[in-house]
Amino acid sequence: MGYDYKKCTEEIFEFSKCVQGTGVFAIGESVMEKKIYCIEYGKGAKKLFLNGAHHGLEYITAAFLMRFLRELASAYGDGTDFFGYDVKRLLEGVKLFVVPMVNPDGVDIAQNGLDITNRYHRRLISMVGIHSFNRVWQANANGVDINHNYDARWSVIEKNPSPTKYSGPYSESEPETKAICEFVRAEDFDMLMAFHSQGGEIYYDFDGMAQEADRRAAERMSRESGYPVRQTVGTAAFGGCKDWFIKEFGRSGFTVEMGHGKNPLPEEQLDKIFEENARIILSAMTTLCNQV
Ligand SMILES: [Zn+2]
């Protein structure tokens, strides 16, 4: 069994049961009416929003975020450092909001396909013209690529619903995108980080709007992880979550492409790439703590 919605949800509730000072709530529902959960952890005034699995095949990012929370909480509980970072200081300066799985339908479709009895099965076949969805599916259950559905120079790449890169009939048309946008508008985050796979890269800009401080923060993450800092070009350059956050709020937004290989990355790779990605978040938390 892979890391699907059920597994992720179990881990979310297990975490909130075992760790003091956490909260769990739903920020909205997917097309197929799965709740999109958020975990709140930390006591600080600075608010950092972490999210994963915008794309179906990238569920390793959800598994990573849950493991990061567990190991962070366990270091805090034991009073030990975490890869050399002072966890107590970080959690006193920063509050984390973590949505590990933005696209639960996409993750489940990518792993298990859709049963013929599922009412979305026929609909997706007629929309996208393929019969087998697992191993290719990045979109939500409407065939919309959520990470091209944000209002940041939104434009059409694919003309029709597709396993990947269809940006939808209009920006923020999808319930998953809407849930994230409404949540972000309400919470007024200081920083946003979206985790994707793969490539081993860090992105920090949208349309030249990022500040010099954001570039420096990205350079620090790069030194911690060995991932180079990149500028987006081509179809990856618009309509994404961090693009919208930078454009809309003028604050720091980052995309991290974790790991190397072909999606879906094997879950065993998480052992290898856990530290480099944990260090990226710890570096981001440090940046926030050091802001006045
Ligand atoms: Zn992605």
Side-chain angles (χ1 to χ4, degrees):
M1 267 305 271
Y3 197 87
D4 59 5
Y5 176 68
K6 184 167 173 284
K7 174 89 177 131
C8 184
T9 305
E10 282 165 9
E11 287 193 1
I12 289 169
F13 283 94
E14 184 67 22
F15 178 80
S16 77
K17 205 175 74 186
C18 299
V19 179
Q20 274 193 339
T22 59
V24 176
F25 50 92
I27 62 163
E29 284 187 359
S30 67
V31 172
M32 289 166 76
E33 297 171 353
K34 293 190 184 83
K35 286 191 165 43
I36 301 168
Y37 289 111
C38 180
I39 303 161
E40 204 179 324
Y41 181 52
K43 296 181 253 188
K46 294 285 181 181
K47 294 161 88 173
L48 172 57
F49 180 33
L50 306 172
N51 64 61
H54 267 83
H55 289 136
L57 290 169
E58 302 173 12
Y59 44 84
I60 194 169
T61 57
F64 161 72
L65 287 168
M66 289 311 300
R67 179 163 163 192
F68 175 78
L69 280 174
R70 284 195 301 273
E71 296 203 11
L72 183 72
S74 128
Y76 181 76
D78 296 344
T80 56
D81 69 320
F82 190 25
F83 298 125
Y85 284 86
D86 180 346
V87 176
K88 188 163 178 288
R89 173 176 179 257
L90 294 183
L91 287 171
E92 276 164 11
V94 179
K95 183 180 262 204
L96 298 174
F97 294 80
V98 184
V99 174
M101 203 173 271
V102 175
N103 179 12
D105 297 345
V107 166
D108 282 4
I109 293 169
Q111 283 183 59
N112 309 319
L114 276 178
D115 193 271
I116 197 151
T117 59
N118 189 300
R119 67 194 164 100
Y120 287 89
H121 185 261
R122 186 173 290 272
R123 196 163 147 251
L124 279 186
I125 289 175
S126 65
M127 279 197 309
V128 303
I130 58 170
H131 289 256
S132 146
F133 312 112
N134 53 344
R135 299 265 139 188
V136 295
W137 202 262
Q138 293 279 53
N140 72 353
N142 284 332
V144 176
D145 189 322
I146 301 170
N147 210 44
H148 285 296
N149 190 237
Y150 289 89
D151 182 14
R153 287 234 218 154
W154 179 90
S155 58
V156 174
I157 318 159
E158 290 285 333
K159 287 193 171 52
N160 297 300
S162 162
T164 179
K165 291 199 166 47
Y166 171 56
S167 40
Y170 50 90
S171 64
E172 237 179 275
S173 59
E174 302 309 297
E176 297 88 353
T177 324
K178 208 182 267 298
I180 293 288
C181 290
E182 282 172 6
F183 181 53
V184 169
R185 287 188 193 103
E187 287 292 346
D188 199 24
F189 294 112
D190 295 287
M191 187 188 283
L192 176 150
M193 302 183 85
F195 284 85
H196 290 254
S197 67
Q198 47 77 42
E201 295 166 333
I202 298 164
Y203 295 88
Y204 71 96
D205 196 11
F206 173 65
D207 227 5
M209 290 178 190
Q211 312 287 317
E212 176 58 17
D214 302 324
R215 194 188 58 75
R216 286 199 302 269
E219 296 286 353
R220 286 193 293 275
M221 293 174 200
S222 173
R223 282 196 293 276
E224 289 290 303
S225 60
Y227 290 0
V229 176
R230 299 260 195 246
Q231 295 273 19
T232 29
V233 284
T235 59
F238 51 84
C241 185
K242 76 115 173 56
D243 303 330
W244 172 76
F245 186 72
I246 293 169
K247 184 213 89 172
E248 198 73 7
F249 305 99
R251 296 196 182 145
S252 316
F254 302 92
T255 298
V256 177
E257 291 281 0
M258 63 165 60
H260 292 278
K262 185 180 181 317
N263 285 323
L265 296 182
E267 278 174 63
E268 305 82 75
Q269 192 177 127
L270 190 51
D271 290 334
K272 232 167 59 190
I273 63 175
F274 179 74
E275 178 173 346
E276 60 208 35
N277 287 283
R279 284 178 177 276
I280 287 174
I281 302 178
L282 293 165
S283 169
M285 291 174 80
T286 305
T287 298
L288 286 170
C289 279
N290 291 343
Q291 286 172 359
V292 202

